[in-house]
Amino acid sequence: MNISIERSGAVAIVQVDNPPVNALSRDVRSGLIAAVQTLDADPSVQAVLLTCAGRTFIAGADVNEFGKPPQAPHLPDVIAAIEQATKPWLAAIHGSALGGGLEVALACRFRVALANAQLGVPEVNLGLVPGAGGCVRLPRLVGARKAAEMVVKGAPIKAPAALQAGLVDAVFENDLQQNALTWLGQVLAQPLPEPVLQRPVSGVALSTDEWEQVAKELLPRDKRLQAPAMALACVKRACEAPVAEAQAFERETFLTLRGSAQARALRHVFFAERGATRPPEIKGVEVKEIQLAGVVGGGTMGAGIAMALRDAGINVVLMERDTESLQRGLDRIRSTYESSVKRGRISAETAEARIAGVRGVTDYTGLADVDLVIEAVFEDLQVKRDVFAQLSAVCRLDAILATNTSYLDPAAIADGVVAPERFIGLHFFSPAQIMKLLEIVPTEQTSMQTLATSFALAAKLRKIPVRAGICDGFIGNRILRVLRAQAERLLLAGATPSQVDAAMRAYGMPMGPFEAQDLGGLDIAAFQRKAAKERGEAVFAPVAEQLCEMGRLGQKTNGGWYDYVPGERKAIDSPVVADVIAKVSAGTAKQAWTEQDIADCLVLPMVNEAALILQEGIAQRSADVDLVEIHGYGFPRWRGGLLQDAQERGVAEVVQRLRHFAALDMTPEPCQKLLAVAETGTF
């Protein structure tokens, strides 16, 4: 049953029960309208209390209806019915009232909430704006500035902040329904306030200059994002135009955005993230509980992994080879947490508690009782094998053994491990306590329980997990290698580093490939190339190799692909690099490159490589590739990921452009998987 009605004296209690999050499905929408009609016709009913069963209030639209033709009754019809009811409604909010759920609450005459509830309109995160009056009603309760902040940023606020802003009328610590009934009895003895839509905008009106300042504060730097600016326009119209005009403008904006490419892309990412921690292949598999974890290696990556575990409430045993190295690792953890305190991200008490949950050891026997151990030592096959030989000897047979390798073959690392079914690759991205991506790389011997436990761990760490097969670089670094090689091919063909970087920024990346290498250090990629050469793999980085030989390793040496003034990060075009490029590219045909051609020459070979990764079974789903690129490499979320973007553009066009560049010896020919997708239209 979606909607039920009970009585408490003269108050009717309408309960929504649509697990798991009481989404506004068609049945719920129909049920709410029917409840309004039934209760308006009942003379014994004085008021209505709207509650929800389960763990949350109405948490938004029904995701199962996303992308499908809308079915009546539409949400604005539900909102209008509640707001125009002859009996006043009170929304009692627990859990989350988000999106359409908050819009339903705004239609009620009153709103109360539990103290731990959160309220918000996150539609902008899906490339939308509130479409059922949220932009129009919010300013009438919280004022123009706060409404603009909530709608444009999309971040929910907690109930106490909502009370202070005027969004709710009362907050309770417990016993929501009984407290709501008592509170309702008190306010019914007083004159009723006007419905929200009939109230004036709260606070003082904003001037043109003030609206411009609000825009500067709230709108993202990337002006290609459509929804934030349109959301702000809706709030501004709500504050300045007649109600009917403002509602019509909001609804028209919502409908326009709903069919946009950005909304499709962001919906794609939403569903991909939603299913990331529970892929179908591990459904029903029992998982192990991880309470104590070990980390071998206290360097930047090991310390980051330790902090990611502590942030999730898992105690950590950090192991290093000697006391001095161990102390450096522990100091690294402490200083990072103390920095977070200074920036106001966590309290000093929280930092101390997390630091206290890390115990240091210099002997493998200190890891005897861990449920999981993650190796994060030097990227050398024999070094890692030696680590796991020691771990096999001391750890419990049911303890999961994981390597954080980014390039090496986990199966080769696991050679000789006792009970190899408990071994797996867990590739964190640096800084591990911040980056959300986690590549999970099972070997042929990895058990389903180990695999499922790794996904459960990712969920606990609030990471986005993606299963990857074994190959050089797995999914993300394999595609990154293609990007870097293509960037150098462009240099040899007449483009400059600054042109290449500018084209990728224009495409939507936070920085270009050469800027990124200078930031991280050219020696990192050089080490990976050296390892690849030792494995007999072809490597293309003629200019980068020259720069590394010259000691130009990026910002840390005040020179890489660009020159840098000591202590500053501003990239300056380098005549030294220009000279190296000219010498390496001598005899190569040059041409003038447009921004679009540069972007295509970089991105489309990445698409082709991603298709090969799917063809080889290294990635299970195209959405997995998209998640890797978004959460590991800064691919613009509003494009939906590498393959979603290609699909939106049209894979047939991608194939055509690749063939054009292949004729110029700039890219490979499109692979068979890509050719097949060009026929079907979908990956």
Side-chain angles (χ1 to χ4, degrees):
M1 180 180 294
N2 295 121
I3 303 293
S4 63
I5 301 176
E6 298 179 356
R7 294 290 293 271
S8 177
V11 176
I13 303 173
V14 174
Q15 185 180 74
V16 178
D17 188 3
N18 185 28
V21 294
N22 293 313
L24 285 163
S25 66
R26 181 187 182 186
D27 287 343
V28 170
R29 297 194 301 272
S30 299
L32 286 172
I33 289 179
V36 171
Q37 294 169 345
T38 297
L39 297 174
D40 272 359
D42 188 341
S44 67
V45 172
Q46 186 180 2
V48 181
L49 176 64
L50 176 61
T51 67
C52 290
R55 57 187 174 88
T56 185
F57 191 72
I58 300 168
D62 187 346
V63 295
N64 296 315
E65 297 180 6
F66 282 14
K68 297 179 182 178
Q71 293 182 307
H74 306 298
L75 185 56
D77 302 326
V78 178
I79 303 295
I82 293 174
E83 190 164 54
Q84 296 167 14
T86 59
K87 312 296 172 66
W89 282 51
L90 164 65
I93 299 167
H94 73 291
S96 299
L98 301 175
L102 181 57
E103 287 181 301
V104 169
L106 291 173
C108 297
R109 200 69 64 97
F110 308 104
R111 286 148 302 283
V112 298
L114 282 180
N116 60 359
Q118 57 178 0
L119 304 87
V121 277
E123 284 88 346
V124 70
N125 297 318
L126 291 175
L128 302 170
V129 300
C135 297
V136 183
R137 291 181 177 85
L138 268 176
R140 287 161 167 76
L141 291 174
V142 303
R145 285 183 182 275
K146 188 65 178 179
E149 178 187 332
M150 292 182 67
V151 174
V152 174
K153 290 295 188 181
I157 61 174
K158 291 288 189 181
L163 177 63
Q164 184 177 9
L167 183 55
V168 298
D169 301 295
V171 170
F172 306 120
E173 293 294 333
N174 50 43
D175 202 355
L176 178 61
Q177 181 167 306
Q178 187 54 54
N179 278 318
L181 287 170
T182 301
W183 185 89
L184 183 58
Q186 295 169 351
V187 298
L188 288 176
Q190 305 167 20
L192 290 177
E194 294 289 338
V196 173
L197 202 59
Q198 296 178 24
R199 303 178 197 179
V201 173
S202 178
V204 297
L206 299 185
S207 67
T208 299
D209 288 345
E210 287 172 324
W211 277 113
E212 290 178 357
Q213 183 60 37
V214 168
K216 288 179 182 178
E217 293 172 0
L218 298 181
L219 293 181
R221 292 182 180 179
D222 191 341
K223 302 307 177 186
R224 287 162 301 184
L225 282 167
Q226 299 168 347
M230 296 176 80
L232 182 59
C234 287
V235 176
K236 187 173 185 293
R237 184 69 64 94
C239 295
E240 297 178 346
V243 166
E245 179 184 326
Q247 284 185 297
F249 182 79
E250 179 197 82
R251 189 64 182 172
E252 181 182 357
T253 302
F254 169 81
L255 294 174
T256 297
L257 287 172
R258 188 172 66 183
S260 69
Q262 286 192 11
R264 285 193 295 272
L266 291 168
R267 282 198 300 269
H268 167 75
V269 177
F270 171 82
F271 282 115
E273 290 174 340
R274 191 167 176 256
T277 57
R278 46 183 187 277
E281 55 266 31
I282 62 169
K283 184 177 181 180
V285 179
E286 183 180 358
V287 303
K288 287 175 55 65
E289 185 177 358
I290 305 298
Q291 294 183 326
L292 179 64
V295 176
V296 180
T300 301
M301 179 59 78
I305 293 171
M307 286 184 282
L309 292 163
R310 285 300 300 128
D311 292 347
I314 298 172
N315 287 329
V316 174
V317 180
L318 180 67
M319 186 197 154
E320 261 290 2
R321 61 184 180 273
D322 54 52
T323 302
E324 184 179 342
S325 299
L326 176 62
Q327 191 58 52
R328 281 198 301 269
L330 294 173
D331 289 345
R332 187 174 284 115
I333 292 171
R334 173 172 287 279
S335 65
T336 304
Y337 276 129
E338 288 176 348
S339 176
S340 294
V341 172
K342 290 178 182 177
R343 296 178 183 180
R345 293 177 179 172
I346 58 175
S347 67
E349 293 76 17
T350 297
E352 284 302 321
R354 291 179 184 175
I355 292 168
V358 180
R359 175 166 56 90
V361 298
T362 56
D363 191 282
Y364 282 94
T365 56
L367 301 171
D369 295 326
V370 299
D371 304 305
L372 158 78
V373 60
I374 302 172
E375 164 271 312
V377 302
F378 190 65
E379 197 78 349
D380 179 273
L381 179 59
Q382 191 55 53
V383 171
K384 290 179 183 289
R385 279 180 170 172
D386 291 344
V387 168
F388 283 101
Q390 297 280 357
L391 293 174
S392 288
V394 302
C395 291
R396 302 193 320 256
L397 281 177
D398 65 338
I400 292 175
L401 306 182
T403 176
N404 180 55
T405 183
S406 57
Y407 275 91
L408 299 177
D409 182 349
I413 296 172
D415 187 36
V417 166
V418 177
E421 67 275 4
R422 62 187 172 143
F423 184 92
I424 197 164
L426 295 180
H427 178 210
F428 289 79
F429 284 67
S430 186
Q433 74 275 19
I434 295 174
M435 295 292 284
K436 294 187 70 175
L437 180 64
L438 178 64
E439 284 184 317
I440 296 178
V441 191
T443 71
E444 287 187 0
Q445 294 177 297
T446 301
S447 71
M448 289 303 293
Q449 184 184 50
T450 300
L451 181 64
T453 301
S454 298
F455 274 93
L457 174 67
K460 193 169 185 178
L461 299 181
R462 296 185 177 179
K463 302 290 186 188
I464 299 293
V466 171
R467 179 177 179 173
I470 295 176
C471 67
D472 187 48
F474 311 129
I475 297 173
N477 282 333
R478 176 170 163 177
I479 295 174
L480 177 63
R481 187 173 60 186
V482 170
L483 170 65
R484 288 177 172 170
Q486 285 301 119
E488 292 217 27
R489 287 191 179 94
L490 282 163
L491 298 184
L492 303 189
T496 66
S498 58
Q499 284 179 316
V500 171
D501 285 341
M504 287 308 281
R505 289 196 304 273
Y507 179 77
M509 298 295 288
M511 62 178 64
F514 298 118
E515 294 169 311
Q517 287 183 61
D518 272 4
L519 180 62
L522 275 69
D523 50 331
I524 296 175
F527 174 79
Q528 295 164 349
R529 289 194 299 270
K530 180 176 180 291
K533 289 176 183 177
E534 291 172 352
R535 296 192 296 271
E537 298 171 8
V539 172
F540 184 82
V543 182
E545 295 282 7
Q546 291 285 322
L547 297 181
C548 288
E549 288 180 12
M550 297 167 66
R552 293 182 64 93
L553 304 180
Q555 292 184 12
K556 58 189 172 187
T557 60
N558 297 319
W561 290 102
Y562 298 95
D563 291 335
Y564 299 89
V565 174
E568 298 182 13
R569 292 193 172 189
K570 182 181 179 181
I572 304 169
D573 289 338
S574 172
V576 174
V577 173
D579 185 56
V580 172
I581 294 171
K583 290 177 181 178
V584 173
S585 65
T588 305
K590 309 293 191 297
Q591 68 179 77
W593 289 91
T594 67
E595 196 172 76
Q596 183 63 56
D597 282 345
I598 290 174
D600 282 354
C601 205
L602 291 168
V603 174
L604 301 189
M606 295 165 64
V607 172
N608 191 60
E609 191 69 20
L612 271 172
I613 286 171
L614 287 171
Q615 181 177 305
E616 296 168 10
I618 300 300
Q620 303 287 304
R621 291 161 284 271
S622 63
D624 288 347
V625 175
D626 291 336
L627 290 176
V628 167
E629 289 302 305
I630 289 170
H631 290 291
Y633 300 89
F635 197 92
R637 186 183 183 89
W638 54 267
R639 287 188 179 273
L642 185 64
L643 296 182
Q644 170 66 21
D645 186 49
Q647 193 167 297
E648 185 69 40
R649 179 174 181 173
V651 180
E653 182 185 337
V654 170
V655 166
Q656 181 183 10
R657 290 287 283 167
L658 277 171
R659 284 174 169 161
H660 164 74
F661 288 121
L664 301 174
D665 292 327
M666 290 298 299
T667 70
E669 289 284 347
C671 69
Q672 288 301 311
K673 174 70 173 178
L674 203 61
L675 294 175
V677 174
E679 295 293 327
T680 63
T682 57
F683 283 97

